Amino acid sequence: MKEITISPVTRIEGHAGVRIYLNDQGQVDSAHFQVVELRGFEKFLIGASIEEAPRITPRICGICPSAHHLAAAKATDQIFGVEPPATGKKLRELLSIGQFIHSHALHFFMLAAPDFILGHDAPVESRNVIGLARHSPDLAKKAIAVRKFGQRLTEAVGGKPIHPSNALPGGMSTPLTEGKKAELTTMANEVLGIAREGWDLARGLLDGVDTDFGAVTTGFLGMANNGVYSTYEGPAMMLGPDGGQIGSFSGQDYTNFIEEYSEDWSYLKFARFKGGDYYRVGPLARLNIVQKMGTEHADAALAEYRERFGTVTQATLAYNLARYIEFLASCEQAVQLLSDPGITGSDIRTPVGAVVNRRGIGLIEAPRGTLIHDYTVDENGVIERCNLIVATCQNNYGMDRGVEDMARRVVENGALTDGAANRIEMIIRAYDPCISCATHAIGRMPLKIECIRRT
């Protein structure tokens, strides 16, 4: 059986490939999204004090460290039996928003946009952020300005622009000063203007694109706070493929609803609803779940989106448009929170004492989807068990099946052109996978892997 390999998949965070197996007639027999990267956070957190988790886990990734930081902090709140005060919660929410702004801007403008603005068949040497900057220099400058604000917001609230450290059991360690608030408010209003202008580009991004490519029929999982879009607070809602609600969870009960498993072609774990139904997370899932975004311009964009795709859509490529709507909502939320007088309050942490609960679950929405941090500790607060369920693991099934769908469409006579290979990669990129975040526990894949590179 002949094998075609795309290695590496480009414009994603981390290392991954695609293996396509052809029958004797040169047709696709099967195809898989394959990850061979392995990192060990779930193991080397064991033996650390639980209060170290919010300081260690941001090192999992430089793109989405705030999500791990906050998920770990929420888990430690439970273990010490404390609830952060109102200002502490607001600062955590603002930190989460900063990450969404810079992460979504990075993906939309720099990773996904070259395929749609330059074209998926553009020469590979120009189908990248440099090519985009040459083609649309004003757009590239605006994208940089937006990401700069996201990083400045993360630095001001989290203590560092990458690997933040200010969230800790019971709240936050450092308040936001009035001077920094004023500076960030000016930037936030400028960035919101850019985001609103960018919707004119984003709304037409998929015009002329067959959004059936890479579509997978699944259920969905995502957080909502009384039906309103939320990244920090609220239960995780479970939808079936038809959009019907099938359950929800908010803490340790997650094990009643989802389970992890592995396949022998990848180190990357998979997740599914108990009972065997597959699901997806992230922008597409969240917009399928929420009733509204909760901000003026994002709600108007959501209405346009649903007019095109319906209330619930399975279209994988719609992730790109859903991500922009979340980006727009995050910019609006940043302006709102920075306008809140309570954001500069001094009551930012509830004091903690001894361990109250031996287990803590941190549930949050990361830019790529629902994130779960699950820690069990001994009576002294030393971590005995750690399980991290990351968005990319939960989207692994969707990426894998989307890759095969697209491969069957674009492989012709046993050959794969550069343009065709990029179409397969576009399906993976739609999920904005973060491989570094997701590869912690090894699956059943053999350690010896022989790949044939596409030439």
Side-chain angles (χ1 to χ4, degrees), residues 1-6 17-23 27-34 263-266 270 396-411 416 424 428:
M1 183 176 287
K2 184 180 177 182
E3 187 178 310
I4 302 174
T5 299
I6 302 173
V18 170
R19 301 183 85 176
I20 304 169
Y21 301 93
L22 308 178
N23 60 25
Q27 300 169 328
V28 174
D29 182 75
S30 65
H32 290 295
F33 175 62
Q34 182 186 70
E263 299 286 2
D264 59 6
W265 59 78
S266 182
F270 292 75
N396 199 3
Y397 172 83
M399 289 186 289
D400 189 71
R401 295 302 81 217
V403 159
E404 183 168 291
D405 174 78
M406 186 60 89
R408 292 184 185 280
R409 296 173 185 265
V410 300
V411 173
L416 187 69
I424 294 173
I428 299 169

Side-chain angles (χ1 to χ4, degrees), residues 109 132-145 194 197:
F109 291 108
L132 181 67
R134 289 170 178 163
H135 180 274
S136 305
D138 288 342
L139 179 64
K141 289 177 183 177
K142 290 177 179 178
I144 292 170
I194 293 173
E197 290 175 8

Side-chain angles (χ1 to χ4, degrees), residues 221-414:
L221 176 69
M223 187 180 286
N225 192 356
N226 294 317
V228 181
Y229 172 77
S230 174
T231 65
Y232 181 80
E233 201 75 66
M237 313 297 295
M238 301 162 57
L239 297 188
D242 61 354
Q245 185 174 332
I246 58 176
S248 66
F249 59 83
S250 57
Q252 296 183 15
D253 55 336
Y254 84 87
T255 56
N256 296 328
F257 298 99
I258 64 175
E259 62 184 2
E260 298 173 273
Y261 67 102
S262 61
E263 299 286 2
D264 59 6
W265 59 78
S266 182
Y267 288 162
L268 186 61
K269 292 187 293 185
F270 292 75
R272 61 192 170 204
F273 291 146
K274 283 196 168 179
D277 292 332
Y278 302 102
Y279 69 94
R280 288 181 284 175
V281 297
L284 184 78
R286 290 187 288 247
L287 264 61
N288 282 342
I289 287 168
V290 301
Q291 298 172 19
K292 59 182 181 179
M293 302 302 292
T295 58
E296 178 186 359
H297 300 291
D299 275 330
L302 178 64
E304 288 187 52
Y305 173 88
R306 287 183 167 169
E307 184 176 348
R308 177 171 184 177
F309 293 106
T311 304
V312 174
T313 179
Q314 299 284 352
T316 296
L317 290 176
Y319 264 98
N320 295 293
L321 192 53
R323 189 170 287 109
Y324 194 91
I325 295 172
E326 290 193 341
F327 163 64
L328 179 56
S330 297
C331 293
E332 291 183 281
Q333 289 173 335
V335 171
Q336 289 176 354
L337 268 174
L338 287 166
S339 300
D340 185 338
I343 199 70
T344 53
S346 58
D347 186 14
I348 58 175
R349 188 189 185 199
T350 301
V352 301
V355 168
V356 173
N357 300 300
R358 295 282 297 275
R359 190 175 178 205
I361 311 294
L363 175 66
I364 197 169
E365 286 293 325
R368 289 149 188 84
T370 309
L371 173 65
I372 300 170
H373 278 220
D374 181 353
Y375 302 97
T376 300
V377 302
D378 66 14
E379 64 276 7
N380 297 313
V382 175
I383 298 172
E384 295 182 326
R385 178 183 174 275
C386 169
N387 189 40
L388 309 176
I389 304 181
V390 179
T392 300
C393 298
Q394 298 168 84
N395 282 332
N396 199 3
Y397 172 83
M399 289 186 289
D400 189 71
R401 295 302 81 217
V403 159
E404 183 168 291
D405 174 78
M406 186 60 89
R408 292 184 185 280
R409 296 173 185 265
V410 300
V411 173
E412 296 182 355
N413 300 318

